[in-house]
Amino acid sequence: MAGTACCRKSSPAEASADTPIRELDDSRQACSRSPAESAIVFNMDGFGSWNAKVKSYHFLSADPRFPLGFKLFYRQDNPLEDPSHVLALQPQPVVIEYE
C-alpha cells in the first residue's frame, strides 16, 4: 500500500513517550509529504476539564504544520461540551470526535 510507512520512524525502534522531540519532528516532516488522499491531523485527546482541554488545544495550535482535531468523551467529560463550543475554537478544528 502506497504511503503506509510515511509516519513510521526510519529506525527500527518504535516511538514512545520517551522518544526525543526531534525524532518525532522528523517523523512529522515525513508525514507532511504523504499522498494527497491522506490527511494528518493533531487530535486533541484526553480527559479533563473543558478549560484544560482548550489550554492544550491552544498550545498545539502554535505548530501551524497540521490542522487540529478535538475529541470529546460521552462518559468522562462532564458536562459534555456542545459542538458549537468546539467549533468556536480558534483555529477551528477540522475534526470533532465524540467517543
Side-chain angles (χ1 to χ4, degrees):
M1 180 185 320
T4 303
C6 84
C7 292
R8 298 191 58 84
K9 292 176 55 182
S10 57
S11 68
E14 294 295 323
S16 70
D18 298 323
T19 302
I21 295 297
R22 72 178 168 276
E23 288 182 33
L24 294 174
D25 192 53
D26 291 343
S27 177
R28 290 179 190 149
Q29 288 175 4
C31 289
S32 68
R33 296 185 300 270
S34 61
E37 65 274 6
S38 298
I40 307 297
V41 176
F42 274 148
N43 195 24
M44 180 54 229
D45 183 352
F47 305 136
S49 70
W50 173 252
N51 289 338
K53 286 185 177 196
V54 169
K55 183 177 179 180
S56 295
Y57 181 85
H58 286 135
F59 176 78
L60 289 175
S61 73
D63 185 343
R65 292 176 292 171
F66 302 107
L68 297 172
F70 204 93
K71 187 172 186 178
L72 298 153
F73 295 88
Y74 286 112
R75 293 186 182 157
Q76 291 84 359
D77 291 345
N78 190 5
L80 183 62
E81 285 300 321
D82 186 85
S84 64
H85 293 146
V86 182
L87 288 171
L89 292 170
Q90 292 299 319
Q92 190 178 57
V94 297
V95 175
I96 300 174
E97 183 178 351
Y98 281 83
E99 182 180 310

